[in-house]
Amino acid sequence: MYFDNEVALYRTISRNIKSHRQKSGLTQAQLAEKTGISISYLSKVEAAGCNKGLSIAVLNNIANVLDIEITNLFKEE
């Protein structure tokens, strides 16, 4: 995986989180609660233009709740 810049990286991550969340049948509120983050934070993370820094720990929690490998969040689909 290679990203030209942070915007491309964050855009890919946010798209993947939203896609996997929807495939799992979870709402933003449910995913936020299960991962221990606020719904407003998750909403910003999923926003298409978001360039908010994300910790590896948060990404790991999200991947665990969605029952996916963390690397799936970085794949361009």
Side-chain angles (χ1 to χ4, degrees):
M1 289 167 262
Y2 176 82
F3 298 95
D4 291 329
N5 53 52
E6 288 181 6
V7 173
L9 171 64
Y10 291 131
R11 188 174 297 131
T12 299
I13 291 171
S14 66
R15 239 182 283 149
N16 286 332
I17 290 172
K18 184 175 182 176
S19 174
H20 286 288
R21 175 182 59 76
Q22 290 173 333
K23 286 177 188 173
S24 295
L26 295 172
T27 64
Q28 283 185 338
Q30 291 168 323
L31 180 57
E33 182 180 336
K34 291 177 184 250
T35 57
I37 60 177
S38 71
I39 189 169
S40 63
Y41 181 75
L42 179 59
S43 178
K44 289 175 186 170
V45 167
E46 282 191 4
C50 178
N51 62 355
K52 188 163 186 68
L54 299 165
S55 74
I56 296 297
V58 168
L59 290 178
N60 187 59
N61 286 343
I62 291 171
N64 287 345
V65 169
L66 295 174
D67 196 30
I68 60 171
E69 296 289 328
I70 193 171
T71 56
N72 289 342
L73 298 177
F74 298 93
K75 292 180 180 174
E76 295 183 85
E77 296 180 3

